[in-house]
């Protein structure tokens, strides 16, 4: 569903028992820190998303469960009270565990201020996973963000809460330590993951027009 969010357009939003999100268009001219998307999801066993690349930074904050995140070169284990970063232009795939699937929040943003916060957290494409330490205040703010999502977008409210979330991350830069080391994927593993992703895309597109060009574009 689409909604007008004041000076920017809410491209899509959803509120359900297991998934809440809002995705916004970019503000013309750019900003020092711009909200692109935010949401919350309780996943099912083996839930997977990707591989795909994005044009903004995206952090997932794991509240419960465990799973893996892959940048198609390395695979990282990610569990409760950790977060993982996806950088612009980087192909990524993430998958929830079978026995303990994730419950997570996510926050997508762009702009130099966001880059500075990530630098202070010492998170980047080579170090995409961090421990959150005392995350009660952080998850409280993320929960407020999801509850603010609605038919009118509430872009300004969500943007204000995003500033608070990133300020908490900036203040906790000494406790957001790097997490589990990566498992390097072999060429065979990377090929297998791509094939599995293509199969998932085809299955999820039942009843829709899907051709090789569209698959190649998404991959």
């Amino acid at each position: 569903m689409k909604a007008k969010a004041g000076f920017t357009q809410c491209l899509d939003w959803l509120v359900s028992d297991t998934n809440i999100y809002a995705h916004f268009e970019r503000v013309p001219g750019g900003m020092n820190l711009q909200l692109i998307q935010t949401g919350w999801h309780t996943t099912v066993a083996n839930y997977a998303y990707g591989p795909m690349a994005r044009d903004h930074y995206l952090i997932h904050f794991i509240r419960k469960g465990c799973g893996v995140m892959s940048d198609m070169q390395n695979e990282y284990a990610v569990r409760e009270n950790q977060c993982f970063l996806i950088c612009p232009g980087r192909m990524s795939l993430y998958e929830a565990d079978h026995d303990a699937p994730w419950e997570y929040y996510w926050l997508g943003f762009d702009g130099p201020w966001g880059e500075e916060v990530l630098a202070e957290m010492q998170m980047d494409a080579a170090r995409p996973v961090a421990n959150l330490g005392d995350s009660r205040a952080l998850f409280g703010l993320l929960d407020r963000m999801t509850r603010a999502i609605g038919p009118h977008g509430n872009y300004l409210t969500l943007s204000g809460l995003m500033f608070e979330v990133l300020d908490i991350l900036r203040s906790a830069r000494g406790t957001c330590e790097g997490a589990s080391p990566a498992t390097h994927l072999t060429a065979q593993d990377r090929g297998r993951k791509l094939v599995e992703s293509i199969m998932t895309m085809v299955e999820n597109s039942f009843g829709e027009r899907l051709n090789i060009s569209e698959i190649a574009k998404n991959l």
Side-chain angles (χ1 to χ4, degrees):
M1 290 175 282
K2 294 184 178 181
K4 189 67 178 176
F7 57 87
T8 188
Q9 183 80 15
C10 182
L11 300 175
D12 191 22
W13 69 278
L14 175 71
V15 175
S16 73
D17 292 338
T18 60
N19 198 4
I20 303 173
Y21 65 80
H23 194 168
F24 299 94
E25 68 176 355
R26 291 178 177 272
V27 176
M31 299 171 62
N32 283 327
L33 181 60
Q34 180 176 350
L35 173 66
I36 305 296
Q37 59 169 304
T38 186
W40 164 85
H41 191 191
T42 296
T43 64
V44 297
N46 301 120
Y47 168 83
Y49 196 92
M52 68 176 296
R54 295 161 179 82
D55 62 356
H56 57 278
Y57 292 100
L58 183 63
I59 305 180
H60 285 70
F61 303 89
I62 310 303
R63 190 167 195 170
K64 295 179 182 178
C66 56
V68 295
M69 189 277 283
S70 169
D71 61 6
M72 313 313 293
Q73 299 293 326
N74 299 294
E75 192 171 87
Y76 303 83
V78 191
R79 63 180 188 276
E80 178 178 335
N81 218 40
Q82 292 183 326
C83 64
F84 66 86
L85 171 68
I86 297 172
C87 292
R90 302 279 296 194
M91 194 71 72
S92 66
L93 166 70
Y94 50 92
E95 181 176 357
D97 185 70
H98 177 79
D99 297 319
W102 283 321
E103 175 191 351
Y104 57 64
Y105 298 89
W106 74 86
L107 182 61
F109 56 90
D110 201 11
W113 287 1
E115 294 174 10
E116 290 180 16
V117 171
L118 292 172
E120 293 196 24
M121 291 177 65
Q122 297 184 333
M123 291 189 75
D124 52 33
R127 299 167 296 182
V129 180
N131 299 316
L132 293 174
D134 186 356
S135 57
R136 288 171 295 181
L138 176 66
F139 283 125
L141 282 171
L142 291 166
D143 186 59
R144 286 176 59 191
M145 290 190 75
T146 58
R147 286 188 280 112
I149 292 172
H152 301 294
N154 293 335
Y155 185 79
L156 292 179
T157 298
L158 292 170
S159 294
L161 291 168
M162 173 189 65
F163 273 81
E164 293 189 55
V165 167
L166 292 181
D167 193 49
I168 285 179
L169 293 177
R170 179 179 178 276
S171 300
R173 57 188 177 273
T175 60
C176 292
E177 301 172 352
S180 305
T183 300
H184 186 71
L185 298 178
T186 65
Q188 184 177 6
D189 289 335
R190 294 197 296 273
R192 175 179 54 80
K193 285 186 174 294
L194 284 172
V195 171
E196 290 174 352
S197 300
I198 293 171
M199 293 173 64
T200 300
M201 289 173 60
V202 173
E203 291 171 355
N204 291 341
S205 300
F206 179 76
E208 301 177 8
R209 296 184 63 184
L210 185 67
N211 55 41
I212 293 175
S213 297
E214 286 297 317
I215 294 174
K217 180 180 178 182
N218 286 320
L219 294 178

